[in-house]
Amino acid sequence: WTRRVVIATGVWSVLELPFELWISTSARDALALVTAKLLWLALVGFVLAGHRVARIAYGLLCTIGLIAMAFALPAEYRLFPLGFALTSVECVLKATAFVCLVCAGVESDET
């Protein structure tokens, strides 16, 4: 499950890019979005390749992103309902990925 959820976060990142580009206000914002997505996909690739440091960084970034997005959800619901739906899916995926990573780490320590 961990592998599938990590892949899902990468796929979701690409799927939501057009919506994020749609609301970006400048070329600099659009470039930052594309760069962030490429870095995220690279991190996902390293996690899937089994790099321990990448798994730790991925888990940390999932947690930080989840907390930041969760606090913004009420405002996003009022201002941009489509964004709320997209962000909600991302929150669920990142929370699931974090739980899977932690559970996988506990299982590997027990063996």
Side-chain angles (χ1 to χ4, degrees):
W1 276 105
T2 303
R3 186 171 187 77
R4 290 180 184 139
V5 173
V6 169
I7 290 169
T9 62
V11 169
W12 186 256
S13 175
V14 172
L15 290 177
E16 71 178 352
L17 181 61
F19 297 102
E20 292 174 334
L21 290 173
W22 177 45
I23 62 170
S24 66
T25 56
S26 67
R28 183 182 295 187
D29 287 348
L31 181 61
L33 281 168
V34 171
T35 303
K37 297 300 179 179
L38 290 173
L39 289 172
W40 181 255
L41 291 174
L43 182 60
V44 165
F46 283 117
V47 170
L48 294 174
H51 295 279
R52 181 173 170 77
V53 174
R55 288 173 60 103
I56 293 167
Y58 177 85
L60 180 66
L61 290 175
C62 278
T63 304
I64 292 169
L66 177 61
I67 292 169
M69 289 183 289
F71 283 116
L73 279 174
E76 196 167 31
Y77 179 74
R78 287 190 309 273
L79 300 173
F80 187 45
L82 175 61
F84 171 80
L86 295 170
T87 303
S88 296
V89 171
E90 187 173 359
C91 284
V92 168
L93 285 173
K94 287 186 175 180
T96 305
F98 177 77
V99 170
C100 286
L101 283 174
V102 169
C103 290
V106 169
E107 288 173 4
S108 65
D109 288 344
E110 291 177 355
T111 57

